[in-house]
Amino acid sequence: MNTITNPYLALGVRPFINCCSVRTMHGGSLMLPQVRAAVAEASRWFVNLDELMEAAGKRLAELTGAEWGLVTCGSAAAVALGTAACVAGNDPVKMLRLPFTDGMVNRVIIPKSQRFAYDQAVRMIGCQIIEIDTREDLDRALAEPVAMVVLLGKQEHLTKVRLEEIAAVVKPLGIPIMVDAASEHLERPSPWLVRGADLVVYSGGKFLRGPQTSGLLLGSKPLVEAAWRNASPHQALGRPMKVSKEDVIGVLTALEYWFEERDQTAERQKWYDDLAVITERVGRMPGAHGAVIEPEGVDLVPRLRVSWDRWHYPLDGLALRQHVLDGEPRIMLDDNSATEDSIVVDPFQLQPGEAAEVGDAIAAVLRDTTRAAPSAGDRDRRQLGIAGRFPAGLARPSARNRAARSRARRPPALDPLRGAGQRLAERRSGPALVYLALRSQHDLLFLRRRDPRRRDERHGRARRRQRPEPRHRQPQPVRHRAMAGEPRGVRIVPKPRCVGRPPSEQGEKSIRRRKSPVRRQ
């Protein structure tokens, strides 16, 4: 990285090597060189956006095999504009009313197992989400008018009702189906459109490596054109979702490279080669290794699970991730995949030479946190389970050892580390090893018996801390009642409060006055 021309370093922001695939939080993906050149050239001219999008829609249809296409400012914007097209169409009155959909068909069906964070883009149009789980739920939901059905592509396998079955039910009713496939690789033709969807959403700034702020809405020409009428620069709900002329040209260039120039075999081989380099560097550390996770489902990129022995390297996946993120070069690993003794590396974003840096950085962190080789006593203590957990590959303590450990936890005297403990140490038996472990690691089992009175006081303080604080009620006004034998019609006048005295004294005086005999006029 060039520290002179890097604009992020000039702002004090350290770039990193991305091992987390195509997350938007981490910048999506790096634009292709062809895309950067096309965007720079497009920025030198002016065009009419309606004319540009008309030509771009036709070119997108040719490249993707869809009926029509639209470039949006991100895939979430494509979801929102597709929803607006299904609810308001290109009716100017309805378009200007969004997101107030009273009197309009605004119910959207989504399978319960496919709810996702970005369905907020559906709700922001003013739609009501109707969840379904079975075919019976679908039939009940269709008892009232429905605007559309939305599916999340990567979670379709979790649903009992598949796309083909839903399409067979809702298509005769004229209800469109939209699939969010933003995190998937684009294919020609899109399998979702082939299976019965009317609209499908892809990201232009992830695997396509186009402009990061770009998305694609492909499918039915009337619906896609209605989505464009609801988008910027038109005066509608999508007016803030502006897409630039440079983004349009950048996405078209990325698609041309994706379908016409990309060598999929060489790309896949590079992924495996990078994973092999990381595995070799990490494997130099004893007890550490890497295992390739083959892609399945909609995922097409292999990944590497780096694992290590927690006894030799006492850190978990999140701790290792933080160490390499704080190092130099800075490396970003996937926090979602981190476990107690492993973490996953995704090679899609690795540039030439970065795989070796990733492997060296992980190995360096493991080397710095290496624990000394365990002695015979340490191994015995591990078998007795003193540490409270059993590492992978270690047999659980036998019943005899567990009984010995239980006996050791019942101290015969006030101080279990003296007296009987010393006698156990001389015998070098199972309980003796427990005693040695207690002497060396006081933080594991602290068996000193406390005085019962101090214990009760401690428990009492804990209960008082947990007890909710009393709610101080405001004093209620005194209601003057007639005393027994008092003639009716006689009014009792309270004595006026003294001015200049503290409130506490005034309160006491008022109490005494209420207790004193009632003065009559």
Side-chain angles (χ1 to χ4, degrees), residues 251-286:
V251 169
L252 291 175
T253 305
L255 281 172
E256 291 172 353
Y257 174 83
W258 181 266
F259 287 120
E260 299 175 358
E261 302 179 30
R262 182 173 64 112
D263 188 343
Q264 300 185 38
T265 303
E267 185 180 52
R268 178 176 293 273
Q269 186 60 44
K270 177 184 177 300
W271 295 337
Y272 281 102
D273 292 343
D274 288 342
L275 296 183
V277 171
I278 298 174
T279 302
E280 190 274 331
R281 300 300 176 99
V282 173
R284 297 175 184 176
M285 302 299 300

Side-chain angles (χ1 to χ4, degrees), residues 308-319:
W308 55 90
D309 183 2
R310 279 295 301 272
W311 180 257
H312 290 286
Y313 311 106
L315 79 168
D316 57 14
L318 291 178

Side-chain angles (χ1 to χ4, degrees), residues 15-65:
F16 50 76
I17 297 174
N18 188 0
C19 299
C20 298
S21 190
V22 291
R23 291 191 191 176
T24 301
M25 178 61 69
H26 300 151
S29 61
L30 299 180
M31 288 192 298
L32 294 166
Q34 299 89 330
V35 174
R36 293 198 296 267
V39 168
E41 185 65 22
S43 65
R44 301 176 56 226
W45 310 94
F46 294 98
V47 293
N48 178 276
L49 289 183
D50 280 328
E51 297 176 356
L52 174 62
M53 199 59 71
E54 180 71 19
K58 182 179 179 180
R59 179 58 176 157
L60 287 172
E62 297 173 355
L63 291 171
T64 64

Side-chain angles (χ1 to χ4, degrees), residues 158-177:
L158 303 176
T159 307
K160 299 178 181 179
V161 186
R162 294 303 181 92
L163 172 58
E164 290 82 358
E165 185 176 358
I166 296 176
V169 176
V170 303
K171 280 295 187 67
L173 302 177
I175 300 175
I177 302 174

Side-chain angles (χ1 to χ4, degrees), residues 60-113:
L60 287 172
E62 297 173 355
L63 291 171
T64 64
E67 188 175 338
W68 206 250
L70 173 67
V71 179
T72 63
C73 59
S75 53
V79 174
L81 295 176
T83 304
C86 295
V87 174
N90 57 2
D91 186 337
V93 177
K94 294 182 178 180
M95 290 165 54
L96 292 176
R97 284 186 55 196
L98 296 180
F100 304 103
T101 57
D102 295 339
M104 302 164 58
V105 179
N106 61 358
R107 301 171 73 249
V108 175
I109 295 177
I110 299 181
K112 185 176 181 180
S113 59

